[in-house]
């Protein structure tokens, strides 16, 4: 269990990311123990806090200070019903997540990771040739942003500097002044937008409504030359369907910062 514990003003605080112990307690068992022993719990995105944990008779925790923005891993209603305060960290990682998104938008079409592997592999690199490791230009391409909140807008600002055309789908259309500033085109229909984009960036939160928003059917709407980048939540994409399409050559590539079953990574993605 990778955690740190300390006492501050008489309060027991437990911070960190839990990992399954080999031959020992599961992560859920460790979390159940933590809510019984800590006054303040600081979980991360992969630590799921359930109603069952909070319903324990000897539950001691009074504050869940989530180490992140999204709270889809917390049963907030169950916490509030028991007088437990829940906090998160909105805006803190907006620019950092947008940086990572832009890094993936560049890395996948330009094949940066593949090139780095060539130089670090045991096979000797024999030098450059005109047709070796050709990537794809992103200048002038159409970027479709799914979820145009703080992070989506920060991605749009960066992408404009790289000459990408900005398109977006959102629950609500942005005010016209923001659209003008970002030079962004709104699509009411997600399906119609997906079928016309060169790159898709997933930047929406994970909620019951967005679980597998990028379903097998919707992924099929993408063009074979399209790339998918996800820095939101892994559950937003049907990961198995994505793998099947990548292996079949029905998508050009994917850049993933999140996975559907974290901390496990789908082994098919590593093939």
């Amino acid at each position: 269990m990778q955690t740190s514990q300390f006492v501050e003003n008489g309060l027991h605080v437990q911070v960190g990311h839990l990992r399954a112990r080999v031959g020992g307690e599961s992560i859920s068992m460790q979390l159940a123990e933590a809510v019984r022993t800590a006054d303040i719990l600081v979980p991360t995105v992969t630590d799921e806090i359930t109603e069952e944990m909070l319903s324990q008779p000897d539950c001691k925790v009074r504050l869940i200070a989530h180490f992140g923005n999204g709270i889809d891993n917390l049963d907030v209603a169950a916490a509030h019903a028991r007088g437990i305060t829940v906090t998160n960290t909105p805006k803190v990682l907006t620019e950092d997540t947008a940086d990572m998104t832009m890094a993936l938008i560049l890395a996948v079409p330009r094949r940066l990771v593949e090139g780095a592997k060539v130089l670090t592999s045991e096979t000797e690199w024999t030098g450059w040739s005109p047709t070796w490791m050709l990537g794809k230009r992103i200048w002038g391409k159409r970027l479709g942003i799914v979820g145009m909140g703080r992070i989506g807008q920060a991605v749009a600002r960066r992408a404009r500097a790289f000459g990408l055309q900005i398109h977006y789908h959102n629950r609500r259309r942005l005010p016209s002044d923001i659209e003008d500033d970002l030079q962004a085109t709104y699509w009411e229909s997600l399906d119609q937008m997906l079928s016309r984009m060169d790159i898709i960036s997933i930047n929406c939160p994970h909620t019951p409504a967005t679980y597998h928003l990028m379903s097998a059917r919707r992924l099929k709407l993408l063009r074979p030359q399209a790339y998918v980048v996800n820095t939101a939540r892994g559950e937003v994409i049907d990961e198995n369907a994505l793998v099947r399409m990548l292996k079949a050559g029905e998508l050009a590539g994917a850049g993933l910062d999140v996975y559907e079953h974290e901390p496990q990574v789908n082994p098919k993605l590593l093939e």
Side-chain angles (χ1 to χ4, degrees), residues 23-61:
E25 295 177 333
S26 66
I27 293 174
S28 61
M29 292 173 63
Q30 295 175 61
L31 286 168
E33 177 186 353
V35 301
R36 294 195 304 268
T37 57
D39 298 291
I40 301 172
L41 189 64
V42 187
T44 63
V45 64
T46 57
D47 301 324
E48 186 176 1
I49 310 298
T50 66
E51 180 179 12
E52 182 180 4
M53 294 175 186
L54 300 176
S55 298
Q56 297 175 97
D58 52 350
C59 176
K60 182 183 179 184
V61 70

Side-chain angles (χ1 to χ4, degrees), residues 7-271:
V7 176
E8 179 72 22
N9 295 328
L11 296 175
H12 180 194
V13 183
Q14 184 157 320
V15 184
H17 174 59
L18 299 169
R19 295 184 183 273
R21 295 169 178 161
V22 177
E25 295 177 333
S26 66
I27 293 174
S28 61
M29 292 173 63
Q30 295 175 61
L31 286 168
E33 177 186 353
V35 301
R36 294 195 304 268
T37 57
D39 298 291
I40 301 172
L41 189 64
V42 187
T44 63
V45 64
T46 57
D47 301 324
E48 186 176 1
I49 310 298
T50 66
E51 180 179 12
E52 182 180 4
M53 294 175 186
L54 300 176
S55 298
Q56 297 175 97
D58 52 350
C59 176
K60 182 183 179 184
V61 70
R62 299 267 55 91
L63 169 64
I64 300 174
H66 187 43
F67 194 82
N69 183 25
I71 53 174
D72 48 293
N73 56 314
L74 311 177
D75 193 328
V76 178
H80 287 171
R82 289 157 183 78
I84 301 170
T85 301
V86 178
T87 64
N88 64 340
T89 57
K91 302 182 182 180
V92 172
L93 296 176
T94 296
E95 303 302 332
D96 306 279
T97 305
D99 285 349
M100 179 61 71
T101 304
M102 198 65 227
L104 291 173
I105 289 173
L106 287 165
V108 181
R110 302 309 314 195
R111 303 178 67 181
L112 300 184
V113 175
E114 295 171 74
K117 284 184 177 179
V118 170
L119 294 178
T120 57
S121 68
E122 295 181 359
T123 304
E124 183 180 358
W125 181 51
T126 57
W128 174 85
S129 67
T131 59
W132 180 73
M133 285 289 293
L134 287 178
K136 298 293 184 180
R137 177 186 299 167
I138 69 168
W139 180 274
K141 296 298 190 293
R142 290 163 292 190
L143 171 65
I145 298 174
V146 182
M148 199 62 147
R150 288 187 297 266
I151 294 173
Q153 291 175 43
V155 170
R157 289 194 299 271
R158 287 159 174 75
R160 277 187 56 209
F162 283 87
L164 286 156
Q165 301 174 30
I166 308 302
H167 300 257
Y168 77 98
H169 171 79
N170 201 47
R171 288 179 300 171
R172 301 180 186 86
R173 185 169 183 172
L174 297 177
S176 58
D177 59 329
I178 298 179
E179 280 190 347
D180 292 343
D181 181 55
L182 298 175
Q183 298 179 23
T185 300
Y186 171 68
W187 292 78
E188 184 176 359
S189 167
L190 175 59
D191 288 3
Q192 290 186 22
M193 185 184 81
L194 293 175
S195 65
R196 292 166 172 81
M197 297 297 112
D198 300 297
I199 304 169
I200 294 295
S201 177
I202 310 298
N203 298 108
C204 62
H206 172 223
T207 68
T210 62
Y211 175 77
H212 281 191
L213 179 68
M214 295 296 292
S215 61
R217 180 189 70 80
R218 283 204 167 106
L219 288 170
K220 286 284 188 182
L221 297 175
L222 297 173
R223 304 188 308 157
Q225 302 86 3
Y227 299 90
V228 176
V229 169
N230 186 12
T231 56
R233 287 290 187 270
E235 294 90 340
V236 177
I237 297 181
D238 183 337
E239 202 169 82
N240 285 326
L242 176 67
V243 169
R244 288 194 298 269
M245 291 184 66
L246 289 170
K247 294 184 74 171
E250 296 172 348
L251 283 174
L256 307 177
D257 182 50
V258 289
Y259 304 94
E260 187 170 353
H261 302 291
E262 291 187 30
Q264 288 75 35
V265 177
N266 190 329
K268 295 179 181 178
L269 286 170
L270 305 177
E271 294 177 358

